[in-house]
Amino acid sequence: MLGDNSGIHTIDAHYVRDNLAAVYLIHEGNEAAIVETANLHSLPYVESMLADIGLDENSVKYIFLTHIHLDHAGGAGAYMAKFPHAKLVVHPRGARHMINPAVLEQSVIGVYGEDFVAKMYGKLQPIDQERLLVATDGFEIMLGNRQIICRHTPGHANHHIAIFDTKANAVFTGDVFGVCYPELINTSGERFIFPTTTPVNFDPDLMHQSINLIKNSGVDVFYPTHFGGVTNVVKYAEILHKMVDDFVVIAKACSDLPQTSEEICAKLDDYLWMKAQKFGIILDREQFRQSVGMDNQINAQGLMHWLSYC
């Protein structure tokens, strides 16, 4: 669990493995806001951080979801039950799934199976509509004297928002501004980044627009859910633009092949390893593959879905 003098604390959700998914805690005076909820198993780590900074469950005023994919929103019902004074802030397209998560739950069960979903998320808990705040584009909220602004950032998901903390001059980017795992570094300590094209709403044009929105915002640091704060926003935006275009080229090259998803996954594996080597990654290929292998599989599925309607 890490914090800095901006009042932002990075909490490892220990989701699937260490340093894969973060929950962020924003601390302003005697009030707190939480960004992302991972799954219900992450809740004790958030409670521990609150205790460390002298706050409790009554201090949490807002819980923000960048989008409703379950590695970001799976714990929302449990969090809202734990924090009685909190309001849940979510994109308009995601709100109904928080009120009644049955469709969302069944769709995930259809992909991963009932046993996996039960173990990872438990039973998704509905949230009272009166406790929801629907984040229209430009929605603003105050946490004490801290202004927080939500902007719609589609491209990864059509229910995605980025959350700007004006006091810290920072933005919580969910998945629309890439994946940046702590172990993916070079000898200079720089982070390796790559896009995430998860099914089913990947749209490269919209992702480019959202990347530019963040790039041109003037923030000093971005906080992707996967994982932790990263500086050099403009530099990483340009890297992501190029990689999104390259992902599209890879997908189109596989469009007429049998077993398209597997072919895309194999090409993504080769492509990212080539980029990582040029970057000077400190991991060997097998270690790198262990870190990004699941992402490659999911990204390939998203690219294949995009091919079906592009």
Side-chain angles (χ1 to χ4, degrees):
M1 296 189 291
L2 301 174
D4 59 37
N5 58 14
S6 69
I8 296 172
H9 304 267
T10 302
I11 303 167
D12 189 349
H14 301 284
Y15 176 89
V16 180
R17 64 172 175 86
D18 294 346
N19 295 333
L20 185 140
V23 176
Y24 295 108
L25 180 67
I26 308 171
H27 174 207
E28 180 72 6
N30 62 354
E31 295 185 352
I34 294 166
V35 179
E36 313 288 48
T37 65
N39 58 8
L40 76 168
H41 305 303
S42 67
L43 187 51
Y45 305 112
V46 176
E47 293 178 275
S48 178
M49 175 59 78
L50 284 167
D52 286 348
I53 60 177
L55 300 179
D56 60 21
E57 63 270 16
N58 295 310
S59 304
V60 178
K61 304 304 179 186
Y62 303 103
I63 297 171
F64 293 87
L65 302 178
T66 61
H67 58 302
I68 63 168
H69 292 165
L70 290 192
D71 54 330
H72 302 255
Y79 274 58
M80 291 296 286
K82 181 64 182 179
F83 303 118
H85 302 299
K87 297 282 190 179
L88 184 74
V89 183
V90 64
H91 189 285
R93 291 179 180 267
R96 64 187 177 92
H97 294 290
M98 295 294 98
I99 296 167
N100 181 2
V103 172
L104 179 63
E105 187 173 55
Q106 285 304 311
S107 68
V108 178
I109 288 173
V111 175
Y112 295 105
E114 194 166 354
D115 290 344
F116 174 85
V117 173
K119 179 180 178 181
M120 185 62 66
Y121 304 107
K123 182 69 176 175
L124 298 185
Q125 300 179 32
I127 296 166
D128 190 329
Q129 185 171 357
E130 294 182 355
R131 297 187 66 192
L132 261 64
L133 295 175
V134 175
T136 53
D137 189 31
F139 178 79
E140 297 183 16
I141 214 162
M142 298 299 296
L143 181 72
N145 294 319
R146 199 180 197 106
Q147 184 188 41
I148 298 175
I149 303 172
C150 300
R151 294 299 311 274
H152 287 188
T153 47
H156 172 80
N158 61 16
H159 45 82
H160 198 291
I161 60 174
I163 299 146
F164 289 84
D165 179 340
T166 59
K167 181 174 182 179
N169 201 30
V171 58
F172 302 92
T173 56
D175 283 349
V176 79
F177 205 78
V179 169
C180 214
Y181 295 129
E183 69 270 19
L184 302 183
I185 58 172
N186 61 19
T187 54
S188 299
E190 297 174 307
R191 298 266 203 104
F192 182 78
I193 198 169
F194 60 95
T196 175
T197 59
T198 303
V200 292
N201 298 139
F202 171 64
D203 184 310
D205 293 336
L206 293 178
M207 184 170 280
H208 282 306
Q209 291 176 26
S210 294
I211 291 169
N212 276 335
L213 185 152
I214 292 165
K215 171 189 171 183
N216 296 331
S217 68
V219 294
D220 296 322
V221 58
F222 66 99
Y223 289 88
T225 304
H226 313 287
F227 173 101
V230 187
T231 55
N232 296 322
V233 177
V234 172
K235 171 186 173 181
Y236 281 110
E238 293 307 318
I239 293 170
L240 286 170
H241 278 312
K242 179 65 168 63
M243 282 190 165
V244 168
D245 287 341
D246 289 346
F247 275 29
V248 166
V249 169
I250 288 169
K252 288 183 175 179
C254 297
S255 60
D256 294 327
L257 297 174
Q259 298 180 316
T260 302
S261 179
E262 290 84 353
E263 295 290 344
I264 294 173
C265 185
K267 289 184 180 296
L268 288 178
D269 180 78
D270 289 339
Y271 169 81
L272 284 185
W273 177 240
M274 178 270 292
K275 286 288 190 181
Q277 286 180 297
K278 289 183 177 180
F279 176 75
I281 201 83
I282 63 173
L283 304 180
D284 62 32
R285 180 153 195 181
E286 184 55 35
Q287 291 170 323
F288 183 74
R289 185 173 282 139
Q290 288 176 9
S291 182
V292 307
M294 182 60 71
D295 292 281
N296 282 338
Q297 293 177 35
I298 295 172
N299 284 347
Q301 292 167 14
L303 288 166
M304 187 175 69
H305 187 274
W306 170 75
L307 282 172
S308 70
Y309 66 85
C310 73

